[in-house]
Amino acid sequence: MADKQQTDPAPQWWSRPEGTAEAGRRDGVPAPRPDTGGADHVQDSAPIQDVPPQDVPAPGVSDLTPDVPAAVPAVRYDPWGAEPLQVVDRGRTPRGIGLWQVVALSLGTALLAGGIGGYLGVLAERRSSTRLELPQAAGAADRGRAPDSVAGIAATALPGVVTLHVRGTKGSGTGTGFVLDQQGHILTNSHVVADSQEITVTFSTGESVTAQLVGRDSGYDLAVVKVSGVRGLHPLSLGNSENVQVGDPVVAIGAPFDLSNTVTAGIISATGRPVTAGGDKGDGSDISYVDALQTDAPINPGNSGGPLLDAKAHVVGINSAIRGADKEDATRQGGSIGLGFAIPVNQGKRVAEELIRTGRATHPVIGVTLDMDYAGDGARVGDKGEDGKPSVVAGGPGARAGIRAGDVITKVDGQRVRGGDELIIKIRAHRPGDTLTLTVLRGGRESTLKVVLGSANGS
């Protein structure tokens, strides 16, 4: 059949002829399908195959099948055209996994695994029957302490130390005391119970009872109160303050800032410290003169009246005063800076005995009036006494020793004194009837005089 323009209706399907005959066919043109016995449609057993488009001339009309069923849509399909009628959608081309995705995935997996593992571990530990025990030093509990250790001293002394709560017309306060005997006498500071209306004593066991004031002396800053009806009292043993040396270990017990049964430790820092306290009345009648023991054992407000104990748990002093840091507000209570002062127990013992016996204490005196405004070195005997009387009491201890008005006393038993306060302190450290050696400066010349101390009632 010659190649010519087809004028008949266009066929609905093109089919590649079966067979491999190549004769009489142009390059790029498929061979005609042989006659299969009058079949007018595309065989169902031969599926249409997608053939890649090729740049070839249009096929001849002689290769067309004669008839096409009417049910087939009238669409021209050219299997050798540039684009097939149907295209397979295979989706987007897959991309490789980025490094950051791998890191994020790994991190998330690790966190998830850690959380699950931790939860399971805690759950397993809680449900486990194994008991958790932390390591601890082995050995049986040893509650015993050496008697001369701080713990041993405290264990011995605490049952005999009490806390005093005092209510007065000017308010209330707290102090400390310690038991003297089985009769219920308790020694404390005078300034703790001054102007008291009600005194409550609390023991280390927590038992509280009401106490009565027996007597007090502001010149020594000592007082005695008494409790009644209390059994099982533990009096403290009194030591000898004359045997105390600088550097000796000491323990203080008290109620600083109302913290009862507080124990502190330190050493004796000095002995024979001249300390004055009080003087609130302004006339000097309430000034305390103490030849004190100095200690660095922490002492604070509330420790007043408590015991200062040596290594044998013997009382060697009564804690009475502290030297606080300088402060602008004079009403503010200062804390310990390592300068505490205690009344020597020898002096406290004598005064306590007198207070228990008579309710009053006696003071040793030399029978002279001192010039407290004298700015020189030593204690000067005044020119006039009170109310214009002579400064040296006629017939008194000083007059009998040969002391005159205007004399300057520079030493007591060889120990230098720098002022009138120090002379009073040195004298009150002794008992009435004791003999002292005084070094006196008169007219530029020194001389020594022997004086036997007299006695005067205290306040």
Side-chain angles (χ1 to χ4, degrees):
M1 179 181 296
D3 292 337
K4 61 181 179 179
Q5 181 69 33
Q6 178 70 36
T7 59
D8 295 333
Q12 302 303 313
W13 294 93
W14 289 90
S15 298
R16 182 181 300 278
E18 296 179 354
T20 57
E22 297 294 335
R25 186 166 53 125
R26 293 179 308 185
D27 295 336
V29 179
R33 181 185 301 272
D35 190 5
T36 59
D40 295 334
H41 60 275
V42 178
Q43 297 181 3
D44 294 336
S45 59
I48 299 175
Q49 299 180 357
D50 290 339
V51 179
Q54 301 180 12
D55 190 10
V56 296
V61 296
S62 60
D63 298 328
L64 301 178
T65 54
D67 295 321
V68 177
V72 179
V75 178
R76 181 182 296 274
Y77 174 65
D78 185 359
W80 294 281
E83 296 274 346
L85 184 62
Q86 297 179 358
V87 178
V88 178
D89 186 3
R90 293 180 174 83
R92 297 178 59 184
T93 302
R95 297 181 180 179
I97 299 178
L99 178 60
W100 68 272
Q101 292 174 316
V102 174
V103 174
L105 180 61
S106 301
L107 182 59
T109 303
L111 291 176
L112 180 61
I116 295 175
Y119 173 75
L120 293 177
V122 172
L123 186 62
E125 181 179 347
R126 289 181 178 178
R127 294 184 176 181
S128 174
S129 59
T130 303
R131 182 179 179 182
L132 176 63
E133 291 189 6
L134 298 176
Q136 188 176 21
D142 181 11
R143 301 184 63 86
R145 296 293 184 270
D148 59 349
S149 67
V150 175
I153 296 168
T156 301
L158 275 171
V161 180
V162 301
T163 301
L164 284 77
H165 293 93
V166 180
R167 185 175 59 84
T169 57
K170 297 181 180 179
S172 59
T174 302
T176 307
F178 59 92
V179 179
L180 291 173
D181 53 32
Q182 291 291 346
Q183 287 70 45
H185 292 105
I186 294 171
L187 183 62
T188 186
N189 281 143
S190 176
H191 72 263
V192 170
V193 297
D195 195 32
S196 61
Q197 291 181 323
E198 182 180 351
I199 303 172
T200 302
V201 172
T202 302
F203 293 86
S204 60
T205 58
E207 180 184 4
S208 296
V209 296
T210 300
Q212 301 297 324
L213 178 63
V214 174
R216 69 185 188 93
D217 187 277
S218 60
Y220 287 112
D221 194 19
L222 291 171
V224 173
V225 300
K226 183 180 180 181
V227 295
S228 301
V230 180
R231 296 181 179 181
L233 294 174
H234 293 80
L236 297 188
S237 298
L238 304 184
N240 187 348
S241 52
E242 294 293 332
N243 297 332
V244 173
Q245 296 184 12
V246 174
D248 283 348
V250 288
V251 172
I253 303 179
F257 300 102
D258 204 14
L259 299 173
S260 301
N261 305 321
T262 296
V263 178
T264 56
I267 63 170
I268 294 295
S269 304
T271 61
R273 290 293 196 200
V275 175
T276 58
D280 296 334
K281 293 183 178 180
D283 58 0
S285 61
D286 61 338
I287 297 178
S288 301
Y289 298 91
V290 180
D291 195 30
L293 301 174
Q294 181 182 327
T295 179
D296 66 348
I299 297 174
N300 290 286
N303 273 103
S304 296
L308 187 68
L309 304 144
D310 64 12
K312 296 181 180 180
H314 296 164
V315 180
V316 294
I318 301 96
N319 302 317
S320 299
I322 62 172
R323 174 68 168 89
D326 293 335
K327 50 187 180 293
E328 296 180 359
D329 185 2
T331 63
R332 182 175 64 87
Q333 288 183 319
S336 172
I337 60 172
L339 293 175
F341 302 96
I343 300 170
V345 72
N346 289 11
Q347 182 173 319
K349 178 179 180 295
R350 181 184 68 81
V351 173
E353 291 171 346
E354 290 186 352
L355 291 176
I356 293 172
R357 186 170 57 250
T358 66
R360 300 179 67 87
T362 58
H363 298 169
V365 295
I366 59 175
V368 300
T369 300
L370 300 177
D371 180 6
M372 302 304 291
D373 294 328
Y374 178 68
D377 191 17
R380 183 177 182 276
V381 179
D383 297 325
K384 294 290 183 180
E386 295 180 0
D387 301 328
K389 296 180 180 179
S391 58
V392 179
V393 178
R400 292 195 298 268
I403 298 176
R404 301 177 184 177
D407 286 350
V408 177
I409 302 172
T410 59
K411 295 179 182 179
V412 175
D413 287 341
Q415 295 182 348
R416 182 170 294 279
V417 294
R418 296 174 177 80
D421 290 343
E422 286 195 26
L423 177 60
I424 296 174
I425 290 170
K426 295 299 182 183
I427 292 173
R428 288 194 179 179
H430 296 81
R431 293 174 178 267
D434 290 347
T435 301
L436 302 181
T437 300
L438 304 182
T439 301
V440 178
L441 181 63
R442 180 187 302 165
R445 297 180 61 180
E446 280 190 346
S447 60
T448 58
L449 303 175
K450 297 285 185 178
V451 58
V452 178
L453 298 179
S455 176
N457 289 329
S459 58

